Amino acid sequence: MDHQASKIKKQKSSLDSISKFISLILRHKPEAVGITLDEHGWADVEALTIGIRKSRFSGFDREMLEEIVRSDSKQRYSFNEDGTLIRANQGHSVPVDVELPVAVPPEYLYHGTGQKYEASIDKAGLIPKSRLYVHLSGDTETARKVGCRHGRPVLYQVQSGRMQKDGCVFYRSVNGVWLTKRVPAEYLEKLTDVGRNM
C-alpha cells in the first residue's frame, strides 16, 4: 500500500470512529461533550464541534463533521437549513421529537435481529427497549445486515399493512427507516430460509 492510500485509509478509520462518537452524543448522551439537545433533537453545530475537539479528537473541525454527514452510508444525521444545527435522524434513547412524518407503510416491512433475541421476540413481539421506537426495514437485505450485527441473523416479516389498518401508527425517517412504537407478536412471521429470502 503506498503512502497516499495508507493516509486515506487511516483518515477513513478516524472518521468512522468520530461518527460512532457523534451517534452516541446525538442519540443517547449529549452530556458526554457538555452539550444539550433541544426538544426536537437538534444540537448546536459549533458547540458540538468544540465539545468533540475538547473531549476526544483534538483536530476535529466543521469540515470533518460535514464529511461525516455527507459520506455516512446510513444517512444518520441531518443539518438544518442554514447548517447551524445538527441531529440524528432516528435511534434516540433520550426523549426528543424528531418531527417524523406519519406515513402509510407498505404491506410488509422487515426486522433483522440476532438469534439470541428470537425467543423473547416470539413471545412479546418487537419492543423498543432503550430506544423510542422499533426500527423496521423496507427490504430483507437491509434487515439481514442489521441482524448480522447481533450474531447469527434472524429475520421477521412484519404485517405492517394490517397493523396500520388496525390503528397502529408508522413513521418514516429522512433516511428511509420505518418506525413504530411496538409490533405485537401476532403481526410477525419468521422468515425461515434467510438465504433464499434475500
Side-chain angles (χ1 to χ4, degrees), residues 5-141:
S6 175
K7 188 177 173 185
I8 290 168
K9 187 176 179 184
K10 189 175 178 184
Q11 184 179 24
K12 184 177 180 341
S13 174
S14 176
L15 287 179
D16 287 347
S17 179
I18 297 169
S19 182
K20 286 177 184 167
F21 187 47
I22 291 170
S23 179
L24 173 76
I25 295 163
L26 296 181
R27 290 173 167 178
H28 312 294
K29 291 186 174 179
E31 68 276 7
V33 294
I35 66 167
T36 57
L37 307 180
D38 73 11
E39 69 271 23
H40 299 299
W42 293 108
D44 181 83
V45 167
E46 190 174 346
L48 175 68
T49 305
I50 291 168
I52 291 171
R53 197 163 46 233
K54 283 182 178 175
S55 68
R56 194 170 291 187
F57 300 97
S58 60
F60 188 71
D61 60 17
R62 170 70 187 239
E63 190 178 320
M64 291 171 80
L65 179 63
E66 289 178 359
E67 175 62 18
I68 286 168
V69 173
R70 186 193 62 72
S71 64
D72 187 82
S73 62
K74 296 177 186 171
Q75 295 297 291
R76 289 183 184 96
Y77 318 108
S78 294
F79 287 114
N80 68 340
E81 285 184 22
D82 66 5
T84 58
L85 302 173
I86 185 172
R87 71 179 172 192
N89 290 322
Q90 88 278 323
H92 299 81
S93 61
V94 293
V96 295
D97 172 14
V98 291
E99 305 164 292
L100 294 167
V102 173
V104 176
E107 197 61 30
Y108 298 105
L109 290 170
Y110 303 91
H111 182 81
T113 190
Q115 195 173 36
K116 59 188 171 185
Y117 303 116
E118 191 175 0
S120 169
I121 291 169
D122 289 349
K123 183 178 178 183
L126 298 172
I127 55 174
K129 296 184 184 167
S130 61
R131 291 182 170 184
L132 302 179
Y133 298 97
V134 170
H135 291 202
L136 303 170
S137 304
D139 61 89
T140 55
E141 179 59 26

